[in-house]
Amino acid sequence: MAELFDEIVNLSKRRGFVFQSADIYGGFRSAYDYGPIGVLMLRNVKDQWWRSMVQLRSDVVGLDASILAPPAVWEASGHLASFTDPLVDCRECGARHRLDKLEDAEQCPTCNKRGTFTEARDFNLMFKTQAGPVAETAADVYLRPETAQGIFVNFANVLTTSRKKPPFGIAQVGKSFRNEITPGNFVFRTREFEQMEMEYFVPPDQADQWYEYWCNERMDWYRDLGIAADQLRLRPHADDELSHYSSATSDVEYLFPWGWDELEGIANRGDFDLRQHAEHSGAKLEYFDQATNERYIPHVIEPAAGATRTMLAFLMDSYAVDSVNGEDRTVLRLDPRLAPHKVAVLPLSRKDTLLPTAREVFDLVSPHWMSDYDETQAIGRRYRRQDEIGTPLCVTVDFDTLEDRAVTVRDRDTTEQDRVSIDRLEDYLRGRLGF
Ligand code: ATP
């Protein structure tokens, strides 16, 4: 399993999924950069989330709130006081650890000495900066550590402009920042990352039923996009794990090489957030139900997922090595919806006679699907490259194409090939990809 992890890190760099940030300066462990292939896959993860959470639903609307927010927001949300992790230093080797993530609270995993930790200190994870050019008069602001608060502070704006009524949701995808004590495991835990969060506002007496509903919906989303059933689980929090305002929380967990770990948390947050912001801001954050003449603060069900972490899970889950004609090959068996390129157009050789037709085929398919075009190296090596980045279908233009106006379409998983006339190619690809 640890080997699989190394393979993924390796493949990510080799094929342009993920690069270490500031690589040429020795690397910056807190953040990663998504390369030409990775940016496509990360977008697909976010787009699939958006599609299922916003596009296909009439009860959820989207939002894109700012990353910077003033202290008042974090005062009300409780982040200033309690968005902390317990930090310990090892007196022996100087290593810093997050106490609640240690396997053994007495032993330093860096130097293996026991009983060397300092008292735990609460370390606030928010990044603070200043707004304004003159330091003395500049105002403190914080980079958001979650996208959720931008949703709560816009509750009234959205309610009045969208004409929605509970049960309804507000969804948002975007960057969040946490000054994690121990970033690590590649893109699993970074200080800058992307979240996909939705706050679903419901009448208080419907909260339990909607909590169950969203737990099921979210598990289905991962399974539908291909995560193996035995690699995924829903883990309800024990009572002593729950935040004080949450009556129920479950984590969607994936079996990573280091064990089960969180992809998403689904929480029944009660009316905590809207009540806090109403009290601190003085705004009325309620819903008035004209049918029953009742005014109430909606309760909130929150499915909160990490886009970057989820992409890592999809990468790991789709990675396979099999044998083709007696040779090992690496293949990402990604669902076509997540695959960076859906189609690759490959002229068999770089001979001038083939290139115009290959460009013509690229121009035919690229308006419909994100497509790659590659005329370098031998065709076998180009197939391997496309397998490694998970391209479901390769379209090869060969010398017969000039005679019969047909191309060869090769399947990533079976490596079987079909001959298809260029006239029919678009319909054929749509049938194969399913979209
Ligand atoms: P953890 O216990 O792993 O620190 P959390 O329970 O604090 O995570 P939430 O506040 O519930 O996480 O955030 C929702 C989601 O955001 C997480 O399930 C995860 O997918 C993602 N996430 C949170 N922190 C990070 C991080 N440092 N790097 C990457 N993704 C993150």
Side-chain angles (χ1 to χ4, degrees), residues 98 178 180 188-190 193 195 262-264 306 309:
R98 189 173 146 183
R178 295 182 187 180
E180 298 277 0
F188 182 82
R189 187 180 302 285
T190 48
F193 55 96
Q195 290 188 306
E262 175 179 339
L263 293 180
E264 168 163 358
R309 228 178 235 194

Side-chain angles (χ1 to χ4, degrees), residues 155-434:
F155 172 77
N157 286 336
V158 174
L159 194 63
T160 48
T161 54
S162 70
R163 311 171 66 84
K164 298 290 174 201
K165 55 180 195 183
F168 84 103
I170 306 176
Q172 173 163 226
V173 175
K175 291 251 172 158
S176 291
F177 302 82
R178 295 182 187 180
N179 201 357
E180 298 277 0
I181 295 169
T182 45
N185 287 335
F186 195 39
V187 298
F188 182 82
R189 187 180 302 285
T190 48
R191 294 195 171 119
E192 175 178 344
F193 55 96
E194 272 193 282
Q195 290 188 306
M196 310 183 287
E197 297 194 294
M198 198 269 286
E199 308 302 323
Y200 199 71
F201 302 94
V202 303
D205 61 348
Q206 294 179 16
D208 291 344
Q209 104 199 31
W210 283 110
Y211 169 72
E212 291 296 322
Y213 170 88
W214 282 110
C215 284
N216 292 329
E217 280 290 298
R218 294 304 306 145
M219 285 294 283
D220 285 349
W221 184 81
Y222 293 92
R223 288 191 286 240
D224 176 53
L225 285 169
I227 295 268
D230 58 354
Q231 295 287 113
L232 194 74
R233 73 176 188 191
L234 186 72
R235 187 183 67 79
H237 280 203
D239 285 348
D240 60 0
E241 248 183 299
L242 288 175
S243 341
H244 62 95
Y245 47 80
S246 175
S247 57
T249 299
S250 290
D251 287 345
V252 177
E253 295 186 334
Y254 182 73
L255 187 53
F256 284 98
W258 56 91
W260 290 99
D261 218 335
E262 175 179 339
L263 293 180
E264 168 163 358
I266 302 152
N268 180 348
R269 302 177 63 92
D271 64 2
F272 174 77
D273 308 276
L274 290 181
R275 191 175 286 283
Q276 285 290 110
H277 284 297
E279 278 170 15
H280 282 73
S281 67
K284 265 209 165 69
L285 302 180
E286 301 169 335
Y287 177 71
F288 178 65
D289 188 342
Q290 282 172 333
T292 60
N293 240 347
E294 267 180 312
R295 188 177 289 285
Y296 64 86
I297 300 182
H299 282 210
V300 170
I301 311 301
E302 174 192 79
T308 35
R309 228 178 235 194
T310 298
M311 174 174 148
L312 177 63
F314 281 123
L315 272 179
M316 304 203 75
D317 212 63
S318 63
Y319 182 93
V321 177
D322 63 9
S323 167
V324 173
N325 302 330
E327 249 184 68
D328 277 359
R329 69 144 185 183
T330 300
V331 55
L332 288 186
R333 298 190 192 281
L334 284 171
D335 185 288
R337 291 169 290 177
L338 297 178
H341 292 117
K342 319 303 177 193
V343 178
V345 177
L346 313 172
L348 185 66
S349 97
R350 228 186 303 186
K351 288 254 161 52
D352 287 349
T353 42
L354 291 186
L355 299 189
T357 313
R359 295 302 317 185
E360 179 195 329
V361 171
F362 178 79
D363 290 345
L364 181 78
V365 296
S366 58
H368 305 286
W369 302 281
M370 190 70 217
S371 305
D372 200 3
Y373 175 86
D374 186 3
E375 57 182 41
T376 61
Q377 299 183 317
I379 190 73
R381 297 183 71 159
R382 278 181 281 161
Y383 284 150
R384 294 292 167 276
R385 174 172 185 277
Q386 295 299 335
D387 290 343
E388 282 199 340
I389 60 175
T391 309
L393 298 169
C394 287
V395 175
T396 305
V397 173
D398 56 27
F399 292 99
D400 289 340
T401 308
L402 303 178
E403 309 297 324
D404 64 2
R405 295 281 298 164
V407 289
T408 300
V409 181
R410 172 187 177 273
D411 180 279
R412 174 193 70 197
D413 298 334
T414 62
T415 73
E416 271 165 26
Q417 308 196 351
D418 269 353
R419 194 79 184 162
V420 182
S421 98
I422 293 176
D423 292 347
R424 284 203 312 116
L425 185 62
E426 190 187 322
D427 283 348
Y428 174 89
L429 294 175
R430 184 162 291 115
R432 291 292 302 275
L433 291 166

